[in-house]
Amino acid sequence: MRQLFCFLAVLFAFCTLCSADGFIVIHDPPQPIPGHFSFAPLEVTYHKVSITIDGPIATTRVDQEFYNPNAAQLEGTYLFPLPAGGAIDRFAMDVAGKMTEAELLDADRAKALYENIVRQAKDPALLEYVGRDAFKARIFPIEPHGKKKIVIQYTQTLKTDSGLCEYVYPLSTEKFSARPLRELSVKVQLKTDRALKSIYSPSHPVRIERQGERAASIEYEAKDVRPDVDFKLIYTQAPDAMAMHLLSYRDPAAAADAPGYFLLMVSPGRLEKKAVSGRDICFVIDTSGSMNENGKMPQAQRALRYCLANLNANDRFQVVRFSSEAENLFDKLVDADKPQVQRAVDFVEHFKPSGGTAIDEALTKALSFKDKSSQRPFMVLFLTDGLPTVGETSEEALVKLAEDRGTRLFCFGIGNDVNTHLLDRLAEQTRGVSQYVLPKEDIEVKISAFYDKIQQPVLTNLSLDMQGDVRISELYPHRLPDIFNGDTLMVLGRYQGQGTVTAALDGVSDGGKQRYSQALHFAKADEHAEFIPRLWATRRIGWLLDEIRQHGESAELKNEITRLARQFGIVTPYTAFLILEDEQKREVPVQWRNMRELEQDRQVRTQSSAAFESMKDEAASETSRSGGQAVANAQALGQMRASQQAPSAAAPSTQNGALDKSPAGPASAAGGYRQNDNYAQQARQVANRTFFQNGQVWTDGQIQTRADWAIKQVTFASDEYFALLKKYPQAAAWLALGNQVDLVLGDTLYQVR
């Protein structure tokens, strides 16, 4: 074990990939004394990226600070792999009172430098950047326990295709850093010549603030992370009131009849408030005795006051409170003027928790206020912390109340003692949304944040029709939700064939029917948006798992979930159990199994099995539909079904989807090269191929497709290794995973060691 730790220390010393884009290669690091760590890789105290996009020109400024935790003075080379088309404007680094000169390397010279580092440092990480220009600067001295600040700025011209534009920032070099990045921020100030419609990051969960119809700010912030994918921002421009833009992907190496995948983005952009439809909205709040616990009622009251204060001038509203009985404030929907809003605030201030939970009467009252003669959207914001205990308690009967009423039910379950199936089905039945507020979460923050998103409806009661020579299938979501001001509707699906399709979107806006029609082109082969298949698979797996949760297990559902999870590397507590079960059933040789460490970890394997069984049991037993595990299941599957980013190794699973390694498991004892902290992160999809990590080896998911591979051993960083790269240039991204990889190329399984 001591030799292993010493080897790892030397390995990381050679190539210290210690920032989110630029990195420092240390020259001649001090050798570690056996049993001691005399050298520690550099650390990043902060990394800030500021991007200004004005029309087609993007200017990127990077501020970094490196810290040398060693007692020794170091020397190194700073490298920055430039994005395509990037031109350096500024490089600033003070070394001993002098500004350091920097050199721009073209792709061929950068490739030679990268390969030289791979040979010397035994680290293949840079292979991912072969083909890019690079920026190089010598750094000396790096003082003991000293800090080194670097500022770099570059400009690039962005290409626009039919109003769609993509910006990419090389954020993924950090994934092989010895330490997580302490502080990371990416801020984009976007300004366009035409009206902005969709704004979307397929790589990171960003915060978007629109500033009129032609500008927006986009932010991503994180701490203690290891970014493993480049930051991508996609935005669309169009003069139309409702713009539709298509991204499609089809693997050119796949069979001719293999399906392609697409993402359709629909957005009105940011409209003036006068162009937004007026709403009818009924606020329904649980005031039963259990709302007196843990400060739930005061938080709920503050949330409701926020909602009332932010009603639109052309809205009408109602307030219903319920415990053992339901009580409405007004006799009918009233205009959202100041006197009526103040009356509602006074009503809310006097809520006192007591009694049971009459969900039946509360829903019946709320739904009775819908104006059947109006096409205005009617919404019910329904908040409860308990199970129905008064009046009708049957889940089926309560769901039937909401059928065919043209109502949107937005359900909030507070705490764990809620019927998750009831709330989910009410929301699904009405094209609404169900959300859950966990015991330690802030009710006010969660409800007010959600309310902001649904405040201004633009198009409701949507239906989408696509006509043409391309066959469309397996769309997600099945039922299209309403579109709100500044929002983007994202529809994912699969397609067969190629050519132009006429897409017609029908809906209701400001009381009248509207139709928006646009021609969309589906490509025969398009490698550009390779994130789409995995994002589609994430949503489909979420939908299939929810089918099991709601209606029970079947062999067909289990088999498809397992196949998709293995193909796209989507590992959750539910899918991990199914992958293990399937590989054992098929008697896959142990050395070719995808999750060997998890299979040996009895504690986590048992947890994974229990998670799947708990979800499956909900279909058979109503008593299993409430409680902490039921809420966790509902949240995890809801997030998958509505996912906007495919799972990333940079984002550890939440408590709803964690597959933590057990402290006593073999994985935690093994250490190993680039060992992850979570089983869910030991699956990576790279260049449309999935790999699974077992110990120090990354295993190609394609190995299980046959048993008669010709097997060839290749020594890492040898002449034969680089000859293989020259023969198969596309393998660079796969081999960049690590220095031990099992990779299928052609009819041969190459075992790099």
Side-chain angles (χ1 to χ4, degrees):
M1 184 63 70
R2 176 176 295 178
Q3 288 88 341
L4 171 65
F5 285 133
C6 291
F7 165 74
L8 290 175
V10 174
L11 185 151
F12 280 118
F14 276 112
C15 187
T16 306
L17 301 176
C18 55
S19 81
D21 54 303
F23 51 90
I24 295 177
V25 179
I26 298 301
H27 303 167
D28 302 320
Q31 298 298 308
I33 301 171
H36 299 272
F37 294 98
S38 60
F39 173 81
L42 300 185
E43 301 173 8
V44 175
T45 53
Y46 64 77
H47 179 85
K48 300 176 182 178
V49 186
S50 301
I51 303 138
T52 301
I53 301 176
D54 192 344
I57 306 300
T59 302
T60 303
R61 175 189 166 107
V62 182
D63 290 85
Q64 301 171 263
E65 184 177 78
F66 298 89
Y67 171 67
N68 177 11
N70 302 281
Q73 185 182 85
L74 301 176
E75 177 182 359
T77 297
Y78 176 79
L79 288 170
F80 185 100
L82 279 170
I88 294 292
D89 299 325
R90 180 189 178 201
F91 177 77
M93 180 179 64
D94 182 78
V95 177
K98 296 181 180 180
M99 296 307 296
T100 298
E101 294 294 326
E103 180 184 6
L104 181 64
L105 306 178
D106 61 26
D108 289 338
R109 294 175 64 200
K111 178 183 178 182
L113 177 62
Y114 291 162
E115 290 189 358
N116 185 53
I117 294 173
V118 172
R119 290 179 187 274
Q120 294 184 19
K122 308 302 182 187
D123 190 329
L126 296 184
L127 295 177
E128 182 177 338
Y129 297 97
V130 168
R132 292 191 185 186
D133 294 347
F135 196 61
K136 182 182 80 167
R138 178 175 177 267
I139 303 179
F140 180 81
I142 305 173
E143 299 293 351
H145 303 294
K147 295 179 179 179
K148 191 68 65 179
K149 296 181 180 180
I150 293 177
V151 176
I152 189 169
Q153 181 173 299
Y154 62 90
T155 302
Q156 63 190 121
T157 301
L158 305 180
K159 295 180 180 179
T160 301
D161 183 5
S162 300
L164 187 147
C165 193
E166 180 182 67
Y167 170 87
V168 180
Y169 176 73
L171 190 61
S172 63
T173 57
E174 177 65 17
K175 62 188 172 187
F176 299 123
S177 172
R179 285 181 177 271
L181 190 62
R182 293 185 189 178
E183 182 181 348
L184 169 64
S185 69
V186 180
K187 298 183 179 181
V188 183
Q189 192 63 44
L190 175 60
K191 182 180 179 182
T192 57
D193 299 326
R194 294 187 294 166
L196 267 170
K197 298 301 181 180
S198 301
I199 304 174
Y200 167 55
S201 172
S203 59
H204 295 81
V206 296
R207 183 171 63 255
I208 300 170
E209 181 182 345
R210 290 182 181 260
Q211 300 158 343
E213 66 170 13
R214 297 186 180 183
S217 63
I218 301 97
E219 295 186 10
Y220 169 72
E221 294 180 322
K223 293 184 178 181
D224 300 319
V225 293
R226 298 178 185 269
D228 72 318
V229 293
D230 289 344
F231 175 84
K232 292 185 179 181
L233 181 69
I234 296 171
Y235 58 94
T236 64
Q237 308 167 68
D240 307 319
M242 189 71 66
M244 289 185 272
H245 287 89
L246 181 80
L247 284 171
S248 61
Y249 177 89
R250 190 197 295 270
D251 184 359
D257 60 347
Y261 301 83
F262 72 88
L263 166 63
L264 176 64
M265 295 181 290
V266 185
S267 177
R270 186 72 183 177
L271 307 176
E272 296 293 332
K273 281 193 175 184
K274 61 184 179 181
V276 176
S277 300
R279 297 172 301 172
D280 291 342
I281 183 166
C282 183
F283 301 100
V284 183
I285 183 167
D286 186 343
T287 61
S288 62
S290 55
M291 286 292 289
N292 198 37
E293 301 169 0
N294 302 317
K296 287 188 283 188
M297 180 53 74
Q299 285 191 55
Q301 287 171 306
R302 289 194 297 270
L304 194 48
R305 286 199 299 269
Y306 177 87
C307 296
L308 291 168
N310 286 277
L311 286 165
N312 303 318
N314 55 348
D315 288 345
R316 298 186 300 183
F317 77 105
Q318 173 67 276
V319 181
V320 174
R321 66 128 207 111
F322 72 98
S323 53
S324 297
E325 69 290 316
E327 175 190 5
N328 48 284
L329 173 59
F330 305 108
D331 293 333
K332 60 180 181 180
L333 293 167
V334 298
D335 294 334
D337 55 31
K338 286 186 178 180
Q340 304 288 31
V341 169
Q342 186 57 52
R343 186 178 168 189
V345 169
D346 294 340
F347 180 59
V348 171
E349 290 288 345
H350 290 87
F351 286 167
K352 300 295 182 183
S354 65
T357 310
I359 289 178
D360 175 26
E361 186 178 348
L363 282 177
T364 301
K365 268 190 181 294
L367 296 170
S368 71
F369 291 107
K370 176 175 171 54
D371 185 349
K372 296 180 181 178
S373 64
S374 172
Q375 288 191 305
R376 289 163 62 97
F378 181 61
M379 303 176 178
V380 175
L381 194 68
F382 183 78
L383 185 152
T384 182
D385 78 330
L387 304 167
T389 59
V390 178
E392 181 62 70
T393 60
S394 165
E395 181 182 311
E396 293 298 329
L398 292 172
V399 170
K400 194 171 183 179
L401 279 175
E403 286 182 354
D404 302 322
R405 290 177 176 262
T407 301
R408 301 291 180 264
L409 267 166
F410 299 102
C411 301
F412 281 86
I414 300 176
N416 293 325
D417 294 327
V418 292
N419 185 327
T420 57
H421 281 224
L422 172 61
L423 300 186
D424 288 352
R425 292 179 65 189
L426 286 171
E428 175 71 17
Q429 177 76 26
T430 62
R431 302 194 198 191
V433 175
S434 57
Q435 292 201 2
Y436 297 90
V437 185
L438 299 179
K440 293 184 179 181
E441 290 185 308
D442 191 307
I443 300 169
E444 179 186 2
V445 169
K446 201 154 188 178
I447 292 178
S448 57
F450 176 78
Y451 181 76
D452 285 343
K453 296 179 182 179
I454 65 166
Q455 191 175 0
Q456 299 174 1
V458 175
L459 195 65
T460 61
N461 298 331
L462 302 185
S463 64
L464 178 65
D465 182 46
M466 294 188 180
Q467 297 293 331
D469 296 330
V470 177
R471 185 166 66 86
I472 307 298
S473 63
E474 297 172 312
L475 295 180
Y476 298 97
H478 286 328
R479 294 185 179 183
L480 300 184
D482 300 333
I483 298 179
F484 297 89
N485 197 12
D487 193 16
T488 297
L489 168 64
M490 297 175 53
V491 181
L492 287 117
R494 301 210 293 180
Y495 71 96
Q496 296 277 4
Q498 61 174 309
T500 300
V501 165
T502 300
L505 183 70
D506 292 293
V508 175
S509 177
D510 200 22
K513 293 184 178 180
Q514 301 286 341
R515 165 168 280 214
Y516 300 94
S517 183
Q518 195 165 320
L520 304 173
H521 181 71
F522 289 81
K524 178 180 179 181
D526 188 349
E527 301 177 72
H528 177 63
E530 66 175 27
F531 70 90
I532 294 177
R534 195 161 189 248
L535 182 55
W536 171 87
T538 301
R539 287 197 177 188
R540 177 154 179 82
I541 288 174
W543 182 81
L544 292 170
L545 286 169
D546 204 51
E547 282 291 296
I548 290 178
R549 171 177 168 256
Q550 295 276 4
H551 307 296
E553 180 187 50
S554 72
E556 292 80 5
L557 290 174
K558 283 182 63 175
N559 290 341
E560 185 172 3
I561 292 168
T562 305
R563 178 182 62 80
L564 290 172
R566 184 168 51 240
Q567 178 181 350
F568 294 98
I570 298 170
V571 179
T572 71
Y574 319 108
T575 60
F577 166 72
L578 294 178
I579 291 172
L580 292 179
E581 184 183 60
D582 175 69
E583 291 181 346
Q584 292 171 351
K585 184 178 180 181
R586 291 188 293 116
E587 297 183 342
V588 175
V590 173
Q591 67 270 29
W592 303 143
R593 293 184 183 178
N594 291 321
M595 305 186 72
R596 298 194 291 275
E597 290 186 9
L598 176 57
E599 189 173 5
Q600 297 169 29
D601 192 330
R602 179 179 299 177
Q603 178 179 340
V604 181
R605 190 181 70 230
T606 301
Q607 292 171 353
S608 178
S609 173
F612 181 82
E613 292 299 325
S614 74
M615 180 199 66
K616 185 176 68 174
D617 290 344
E618 290 183 29
S621 170
E622 286 198 20
T623 59
S624 300
R625 299 173 188 178
S626 63
Q629 185 61 55
V631 171
N633 291 342
Q635 284 190 306
L637 301 190
Q639 289 167 4
M640 291 185 73
R641 292 173 63 190
S643 178
Q644 294 194 9
Q645 290 86 30
S648 166
S653 300
T654 66
Q655 63 177 2
N656 299 325
L659 273 174
D660 296 323
K661 295 180 177 180
S662 69
S668 53
Y673 182 61
R674 295 178 191 155
Q675 191 77 347
N676 290 300
D677 299 323
N678 187 294
Y679 286 120
Q681 298 175 46
Q682 290 185 237
R684 298 276 182 88
Q685 192 172 58
V686 179
N688 204 38
R689 190 177 292 195
T690 299
F691 290 80
F692 294 86
Q693 186 186 31
N694 289 287
Q696 300 178 43
V697 180
W698 286 95
T699 303
D700 191 337
Q702 293 193 4
I703 288 178
Q704 292 188 20
T705 59
R706 55 190 283 187
D708 59 343
W709 300 108
I711 298 177
K712 187 173 181 59
Q713 298 279 339
V714 176
T715 301
F716 173 75
S718 64
D719 290 341
E720 187 179 17
Y721 177 86
F722 288 102
L724 184 66
L725 268 175
K726 187 175 182 180
K727 182 178 180 181
Y728 297 100
Q730 73 274 23
W734 302 323
L735 291 175
L737 282 167
N739 53 14
Q740 299 195 40
V741 181
D742 288 341
L743 175 62
V744 172
L745 295 171
D747 294 326
T748 302
L749 169 58
Y750 292 92
Q751 295 183 319
V752 177
R753 297 292 185 270

